Amino acid sequence: MDTKELLKKVRKIEIKTRRLSDHIFGGEYHSTFKGRGMTFSEVRQYQFGDDVRSIDWNVTARYNEPYVKVFEEERELTMMLMVDVSGSELFGTSNQFKKEIVTEISATLAFSALQNNDKVGVILFSDEVELFIPPKKGKSHVLRIIRELLEFQPKSSETNLAEALKFLTNVMKKKAIVFVLSDFIADDYDNTLRIVGNKHDVTGIRVYDEREETIPNLGMVQMQDAETGEIQLVNTQSKQVRSAYGQHYKDKVAYFSNSFNKSGCGVINCRADESYVKKLLGYFKRRG
């Protein structure tokens, strides 16, 4: 897309997602994801009801009247958005492709972090890490992330989540809030996820289309694998074919849920024709 069209799309997403983060998610995000701890702020005179354990005895002895230590939450956090840009994200039978919904969710989360003065970084991945944007603060940085999500053209159409998770562990030495946005049509990432889950606060957001769950009876249909490019003639009239496809899909979803749950990570399932706003808000409230 040309620059004018791109800026128009960025602006449209900014208006929609910023409104959500300002009015809905800001407070929920703040209460759900805590800072690293409490840091000393100041001392003040003791007031009725103060916890006696917070009395600063050195200052109290100096002024001959009780003073207490005041602590503040050490708020600054880092959010990492890990976004699947493989070929299967360019699928959708409702009003939007999965990729467009992932972009909106990412923008909403990024603006929620911005509102709390937290850093935001991005890893775009296929079967390799396609792009890494180091965490930074500021509106212009968030808008750059949205631009990349809209116009980035990956080199590969396949998926390897384990490689992206390994990359995360190498570049993020301190604990971060990590959102992984994908359809999770992937394998062999449970062991790596367990390592990442021990260090970071991880949530998997599975964005999927209802037409991916089952194949309708359409007779002989030519189908193409969005990730490998392989084309096959499929007999959708066959109950065996439809059953095998449905079971394969269920196995992928079960692997996703089990892997994240066993690793102590959060899970959000968001169907393309459902409101991601309700899904995110419900998740934040449960965690908060």
Side-chain angles (χ1 to χ4, degrees):
M1 66 182 82
D2 60 32
T3 306
K4 189 176 179 181
E5 185 185 354
L6 175 63
L7 291 174
K8 191 176 176 182
K9 282 198 170 189
V10 170
R11 181 62 179 154
K12 187 178 178 182
I13 288 177
E14 181 194 358
I15 291 168
K16 180 178 180 179
T17 58
R18 184 122 198 208
R19 191 181 298 127
L20 288 172
S21 62
D22 286 350
H23 299 295
I24 300 175
F25 294 111
E28 296 296 339
Y29 169 86
H30 184 95
S31 61
T32 302
F33 301 104
K34 304 295 184 184
R36 295 193 187 113
M38 304 299 287
T39 183
F40 173 74
S41 174
E42 61 180 347
V43 291
R44 62 165 172 77
Q45 282 183 305
Y46 178 86
Q47 296 172 0
F48 179 75
D50 284 340
D51 190 338
V52 294
R53 290 173 296 182
S54 63
I55 291 175
D56 186 323
W57 294 106
N58 289 329
V59 178
T60 296
R62 191 180 309 148
Y63 291 101
N64 207 26
E65 58 179 312
Y67 275 78
V68 294
K69 293 177 181 177
V70 179
F71 294 87
E72 289 180 353
E73 181 186 357
E74 192 180 348
R75 175 63 223 176
E76 186 175 294
L77 297 169
T78 298
M79 177 192 287
M80 285 301 301
L81 299 169
M82 296 185 63
V83 181
D84 182 355
V85 292
S86 63
S88 62
E89 297 303 314
L90 292 170
F91 180 83
T93 58
S94 54
N95 294 328
Q96 292 176 295
F97 287 137
K98 289 185 287 183
K99 178 186 175 183
E100 293 170 320
I101 296 163
V102 164
T103 299
E104 285 191 17
I105 294 173
S106 299
T108 302
L109 292 169
F111 278 122
S112 296
L114 175 67
Q115 191 180 358
N116 283 278
N117 201 33
D118 294 339
K119 295 177 182 177
V120 189
V122 169
I123 295 172
L124 303 185
F125 69 93
S126 54
D127 60 349
E128 60 182 292
V129 172
E130 299 268 0
L131 178 69
F132 171 53
I133 303 176
K136 273 179 66 178
K137 296 181 183 181
K139 180 184 171 182
S140 61
H141 180 67
V142 171
L143 293 177
R144 184 210 164 180
I145 288 170
I146 296 171
R147 283 198 303 273
E148 292 290 358
L149 288 168
L150 282 170
E151 69 168 355
F152 187 80
Q153 297 296 319
K155 289 178 272 186
S156 173
S157 58
E158 298 186 41
T159 311
N160 189 330
L161 178 54
E163 279 302 311
L165 291 169
K166 286 175 188 173
F167 180 84
L168 175 76
T169 58
N170 290 331
V171 295
M172 296 302 296
K173 301 303 180 186
K174 291 183 179 178
K175 183 177 180 179
I177 300 165
V178 180
F179 288 97
V180 187
L181 297 101
S182 174
D183 52 17
F184 293 94
I185 308 297
D187 298 302
D188 300 327
Y189 57 80
D190 55 334
N191 290 330
T192 316
L193 180 63
R194 196 172 296 118
I195 295 167
V196 174
N198 284 332
K199 183 178 180 182
H200 302 290
D201 187 336
V202 183
T203 301
I205 304 179
R206 186 174 74 93
V207 178
Y208 66 101
D209 191 285
E210 61 178 332
R211 292 298 179 194
E212 292 176 308
E213 297 178 277
T214 56
I215 296 179
N217 185 349
L218 300 171
M220 295 295 288
V221 179
Q222 196 175 60
M223 293 186 175
Q224 182 176 24
D225 188 312
E227 300 206 354
T228 64
E230 183 185 354
I231 297 173
Q232 273 189 319
L233 199 62
V234 179
N235 180 14
T236 62
Q237 282 182 314
S238 166
K239 283 186 180 178
Q240 189 177 358
V241 168
R242 295 200 304 274
S243 176
Y245 175 87
Q247 189 57 53
H248 175 74
Y249 185 82
K250 285 177 183 175
D251 290 345
K252 295 286 186 187
V253 175
Y255 179 71
F256 158 70
S257 298
N258 291 336
S259 297
F260 273 76
N261 289 329
K262 286 179 180 177
S263 301
C265 304
V267 168
I268 302 174
N269 289 289
C270 185
R271 206 170 72 188
D273 60 337
E274 294 177 329
S275 167
Y276 66 80
V277 176
K278 289 180 181 177
K279 296 283 185 175
L280 286 177
L281 196 56
Y283 177 72
F284 285 175
K285 282 183 180 295
R286 286 194 303 274
R287 282 200 47 164

